[in-house]
Amino acid sequence: MVNRDRLEYGNPRTSLWDVAPLPAPYVLFLDPCGACNFSCKFCPCNNSDFKAAERHERMSMELFHKILDDLEQFPERVKVINLYGFGEPLLHPNYIEMAREIKQRGFCRELRCTTNGFLLTPERCRGLVNAGVDMVRISVEALNAEDYKRICGVKMDYDKFVEQIHYLYEISRGTNTKVSLKTLNVALKDDADANRFYDIYEPISDYTYIQDTTQAWSEFDAYVPEGNYEAGNIGDMMDEDKICSFPLTNMAIHSNGSVGCCPQDWKFATEYGNVKNQPLLDIWNSRKLKNFSIAHLMGNRRKIPYCKDCDVCVSNDDVRAHAEEIIGRLRKSM
């Protein structure tokens, strides 16, 4: 197994048990577009008919501005806004405008974009950097055009794809924008493929890493080929009794306005409000979210219908030793 990973490292963290419940989410996933131009076999986006019309909406600018106005009501600003979610964000025609406004109005410490990179034209690359996006993470799904067609169902000019990423990297030098390249082990067969991935992308990125495919999308079978390459260091399985802290720290807003706890929740199963008809601060402070958080803190993850099949180690904070204390504070705040 090859390991040449250059990993993304987060900012210093405050112990969650000292501050929960939070006055504002640490991380906001704001999805501009639930549709995608790829049909990757490991992703439910275009491989399930479940509420497809709702999942594939593009967020209206009216709703986007309502969300930003609501964010101004929080007593603290969000630390990280991920301007992406369940689809390909660059399909939204106003994506650069959205990113620029978030940065200009100072809604977060860091703004991030994750994209499949197919739409990274020179104009969009310049737009992302000029808007001040702090990190552009590109998911590399294969190492050649043939495998892109097989895995993602898309016709790809692979040399052009690499050139576009190279261009983004070059124009981001001397700016705050970092470029991150990651691939899943489903794209690789052996160490030779892993080395090829690093050889192509290490020179044109700030971070480069391989991620194991796990059961990231509950109620959807992940595509893992027989004899698949094992990265082994990222995407570890969650401990059986570990408590997911996402309900305490994260907010995910779908492109249709649905607000949920989890950025992996493609089925709206953890929804606890809709920003179309509720203030975002009220949603964050809702009894429904607090009860959901308490259910996790009580160790009931395997009893929660959508969460029971999730095996992704999503929690940066291990709150098991402090669960009762946090439960007490949540109940007191109801």
Side-chain angles (χ1 to χ4, degrees), residues 161-272:
F161 176 72
V162 175
E163 287 173 6
Q164 289 172 170
I165 296 172
H166 192 179
Y167 180 76
L168 173 64
Y169 179 74
E170 289 297 324
I171 66 169
S172 67
R173 301 306 87 190
T175 75
N176 290 330
T177 302
K178 302 295 184 186
V179 178
S180 178
L181 272 294
K182 66 105 172 172
T183 194
L184 292 173
N185 58 346
V186 295
L188 310 174
K189 299 186 222 41
D190 48 31
D191 283 354
D193 274 0
N195 277 319
R196 183 164 177 244
F197 166 73
Y198 291 119
D199 289 344
I200 294 171
Y201 293 108
E202 270 186 331
I204 56 175
S205 63
D206 298 287
Y207 311 106
T208 323
Y209 57 98
I210 299 169
Q211 187 172 8
D212 277 332
T213 303
T214 57
Q215 189 55 42
W217 307 104
S218 289
E219 302 179 12
F220 178 80
D221 291 331
Y223 164 71
V224 182
E226 186 177 350
N228 192 61
Y229 182 81
E230 294 185 11
N233 60 335
I234 303 173
D236 295 333
M237 305 302 275
M238 180 184 279
D239 293 346
E240 182 64 28
D241 65 341
K242 189 170 182 182
I243 295 169
C244 179
S245 65
F246 266 13
L248 296 169
T249 59
N250 285 247
M251 174 184 280
I253 305 178
H254 288 257
S255 53
N256 67 352
S258 171
V259 180
C261 301
C262 178
Q264 307 298 140
D265 177 14
W266 64 284
K267 299 186 83 171
F268 312 105
T270 66
E271 180 182 84
Y272 57 96

